[in-house]
Amino acid sequence: MQPFTDFKLDLETFISDLNALIEINHKTITDLLAVPEKTYANFVRPFDLMEEDLELLFTPLSHINAIKNSPESQKVYAEALPILTDYSTFIGQNLAIYEAFKAIKAREYDHLNTEQRRILDLNILHFELAGAHLDKASKERLAEINLRKSTLTNDFSQNVLDATNAYEKIIIDTADVEGIPEGDLEDAKFEEKGITKYRFTLQMPSYIAYMTYGPNRTIREELYRAYTTRAPQNGAIIDELMALRQESANLLGFENYAEYSLASKMAPSTKSVISFLNSLIEASRKQGMQELEELRAIAPEIDLQSYDTAYYGEILKKAQYDIDEEEYRPYFEQRSVMEGMFTFLNELFGIRFVPQEIELWDEKASVYDIYEADTLTARVYFDLEARKDKRGGAWMHNFQTHCEDTQGCTHLSSAFVVCNFPPSSDTSPSLLRHDDVVTLFHEMGHTLHHLLSRVKEHGVSGVNGVEWDAVEFPSQFLENFAYEPKVLKLFASHHQSGEVLSDEMIAKLIRAKNFQSGMFMLRQIEFSLFDFELHSKLYQGEEIQKLLDSIRERTALIKPPSYNKFQNGFSHIFSGGYSAGYYSYKWAEVLSADAYYAIVDEGVFGSELARQYKEIVLAKGGSQSMQELFTEMMGRECDSKNLLRLNGIE
Ligand SMILES: [Zn+2]
């Protein structure tokens, strides 16, 4: 067995080390391609493993640049990126590699195991989705389309950005800002000629702050109108982009862009995605209408409009489920949360976390080895507290991957968990919000997906090769347990008095989570369905608005004003990576809710299905489609009823 790779980074020599490694890789590829009788063992295996060396070198740099950012790390990082891009372009366009994969598949496929077949299939798919199998003329046209698409998507987001930055609303009358939280108000406040004024913009969180707390309805509408009419010139970009997406999908042999998108995802067919989304509309509508009635009841004097819902929603939420975070924090002391989470994971999966004394990049960072029974399995690094030089947010970053090398030697996995929790000091502990606990569980879900892999092939081990619409399944799955009373009671005790969080306080957390969940669900489905239907056939000009309107007939309980052109700012699908993929959020949530309740209904601890989850979903990583793994674990297809249960929708 190969020992863990030490975490080390030398910024001084990084670029020359990287260039040296890439040169070795180029030479390896030349040698591999020269092998006369190519087989899985002598070609695919070594090719796949080259990726590991590159990750081991590059991950420490990207990690340090994110968590101990400095001008030096930025400089080296910026210098490294184009080197890596060049290298991956070289691989992606290397048809000799593609031909070698195909030849090996034709000769050996029947004799390979599931993991090896998956490696071949995914590599070939990757080449073909980029057009490797097309004739010369089609390839040229595809390259033209891709170039034009990247200009259009870039223009789209630039237009949104410009429109967002071009607008501001100055408020002078303090009555118009009454009720807005202190922090938001501080951000908005400025002095001009001795007068205090407030500036609200279309940027987050300024826009959200006024829409949620701003008492002046006319100003709310003004902001809302400005927001939903941004970048009208994007209408023409959408038309051209949709035509190009349709054309490229056709060139690659697909009926439409939605089909092209699903080729690398877990969802089996466009029909299955659409019927899944439709079923959620049916199930959530009744509750959504009730929630709207409740909202109307607290504002009987007005005809409630789109720009009122966040404002009255906040008032209703305060009245019904006001959660005082400060009341909860003392129950979530960081160290006891960590200890409790380890105990929970031990109960659920039989894994032990053993702290290691290793010097790291910051004294607050820590490292643990994970054992299954007495077998060393993986290593995990935690860097949980906020710092000036750390990027915001929370994430899991995989470092080493469980695999077997060409000598048959096993490599163990490792990963980093990064959060931005309140810092602790010698005199005061780090007290978390409940949301932080949820975040920690979420990232730990991703982490275990990577760490508990038993796959031998690097490219489909852990989170490698996992379908895009399944990636959030393990994280959302684990996150759900942060609301489970049996789990919370393991660690949620007051850091001074030792008193355990009461059932009533836990129930309150769950009720607050589910506040207006019907309306929220409908909104998410509206985005998802619009995105997916739009990519299912070619829509142009007014047809696009008509499509959106027809979906809103079923999802929007309050009809948005006719000036609302939300699509012109829908960057996720027109300039981000979510085109015909926005449904993935809900898709993964359904899997996670279904698996979660299966385990809760078995009493959580000692659950047989929890073992199955570990042995099948986690251990097999990306080596099979999640569709197959899920069915194998549950012994049945996924049932969306449990998503409704999780959201408190009857
Ligand atoms: Zn996630």
Side-chain angles (χ1 to χ4, degrees), residues 442-443 446 471-472 475:
H442 179 102
E443 299 311 332
H446 283 304
V471 166
E472 294 299 323
S475 51

Side-chain angles (χ1 to χ4, degrees), residues 82 96 163 170 232 346 401 463 579:
I170 306 297
N346 189 10
T401 296
V463 295
S579 33

Side-chain angles (χ1 to χ4, degrees), residues 599-620:
I599 289 164
V600 168
D601 291 344
E602 283 189 344
V604 183
F605 303 123
S607 157
E608 186 44 41
L609 271 162
R611 297 253 154 213
Q612 296 269 89
Y613 174 79
K614 174 171 165 263
E615 298 302 323
I616 297 168
V617 173
L618 299 181
K620 295 188 181 179

Side-chain angles (χ1 to χ4, degrees), residues 242-261:
M242 294 316 296
L244 291 175
R245 282 181 182 168
Q246 174 73 24
E247 189 187 342
S248 65
N250 290 157
L251 275 174
L252 291 165
F254 298 96
E255 207 43 37
N256 52 56
Y257 191 85
E259 267 188 15
Y260 161 80
S261 158

Side-chain angles (χ1 to χ4, degrees), residues 263-547:
S264 55
K265 295 192 174 75
M266 165 193 175
S269 66
T270 54
K271 237 171 86 187
S272 67
V273 173
I274 288 177
S275 75
F276 159 70
L277 294 171
N278 281 329
S279 73
L280 289 179
I281 296 182
E282 294 321 314
S284 326
R285 237 185 108 81
K286 196 169 138 229
Q287 174 151 335
M289 308 251 257
Q290 283 165 1
E291 289 164 3
L292 181 63
E293 283 319 308
E294 271 184 277
L295 206 54
R296 283 201 171 117
I298 62 159
E301 70 286 1
I302 58 164
D303 176 19
L304 207 70
Q305 296 296 324
S306 303
Y307 41 85
D308 298 317
T309 49
Y311 179 74
Y312 287 102
E314 183 60 28
I315 294 175
L316 187 63
K317 190 176 179 186
K318 265 234 141 59
Q320 287 185 348
Y321 317 106
D322 191 17
I323 291 221
D324 181 0
E325 263 170 20
E326 295 311 311
E327 201 189 321
Y328 282 85
R329 278 183 119 105
Y331 292 89
F332 298 124
E333 192 274 315
Q334 190 199 118
R335 256 178 310 186
S336 67
V337 170
M338 292 288 284
E339 286 304 320
M341 182 177 73
F342 293 155
T343 308
F344 159 61
L345 292 171
N346 189 10
E347 293 276 352
L348 202 65
F349 298 135
I351 51 176
R352 280 186 303 126
F353 290 76
V354 181
Q356 302 297 309
E357 290 297 326
I358 299 172
E359 200 181 329
L360 298 170
W361 52 87
D362 189 277
E363 57 174 22
K364 293 287 182 64
S366 57
V367 52
Y368 293 79
D369 280 353
I370 298 179
Y371 287 82
E372 291 183 66
D374 289 325
T375 312
L376 178 61
T377 302
R379 174 170 283 183
V380 55
Y381 301 81
F382 292 97
D383 186 345
L384 299 181
E385 300 188 2
R387 267 196 310 273
K388 261 225 290 291
D389 48 8
K390 193 197 254 188
R391 178 153 67 82
W395 63 90
M396 181 282 286
H397 195 157
N398 44 310
F399 183 25
Q400 287 164 278
T401 296
H402 181 275
C403 63
E404 197 179 277
D405 63 23
T406 44
Q407 267 78 52
C409 172
T410 299
H411 295 222
L412 297 183
S413 52
S414 64
F416 310 106
V417 179
V418 182
C419 295
N420 270 282
F421 296 157
S424 56
S425 71
D426 293 343
T427 49
S428 65
S430 163
L431 301 179
L432 311 187
R433 297 170 307 145
H434 180 256
D435 269 357
D436 295 330
V437 180
V438 174
T439 301
L440 179 66
F441 274 59
H442 179 102
E443 299 311 332
M444 204 58 203
H446 283 304
T447 307
L448 293 181
H449 195 193
H450 191 68
L451 295 186
L452 297 188
S453 167
R454 294 222 192 89
V455 175
K456 290 180 179 171
E457 308 299 315
H458 180 271
V460 293
S461 178
V463 295
N464 293 344
V466 174
E467 295 131 322
W468 202 73
D469 48 353
V471 166
E472 294 299 323
F473 161 35
S475 51
Q476 292 175 345
F477 164 79
L478 207 66
E479 168 187 327
N480 293 334
F481 286 100
Y483 287 93
E484 166 57 41
K486 277 186 188 155
V487 176
L488 281 174
K489 290 199 183 260
L490 286 177
F491 59 83
S493 52
H494 197 287
H495 75 108
Q496 282 158 335
S497 69
E499 175 206 359
V500 177
L501 194 66
S502 68
D503 290 328
E504 194 191 330
M505 280 177 84
I506 296 175
K508 217 165 132 184
L509 281 176
I510 297 170
R511 280 204 309 272
K513 169 175 79 76
N514 291 341
F515 176 67
Q516 290 190 339
S517 58
M519 284 165 75
F520 182 74
M521 175 82 77
L522 287 169
R523 204 167 155 68
Q524 292 289 101
I525 305 293
E526 179 177 313
F527 297 159
S528 307
L529 207 51
F530 172 63
D531 163 48
F532 207 77
E533 298 253 27
L534 183 66
H535 288 95
S536 300
K537 70 175 224 221
L538 184 58
Y539 290 91
Q540 292 280 286
E542 266 312 294
E543 291 168 353
I544 295 176
Q545 187 62 48
K546 278 205 191 108
L547 171 69

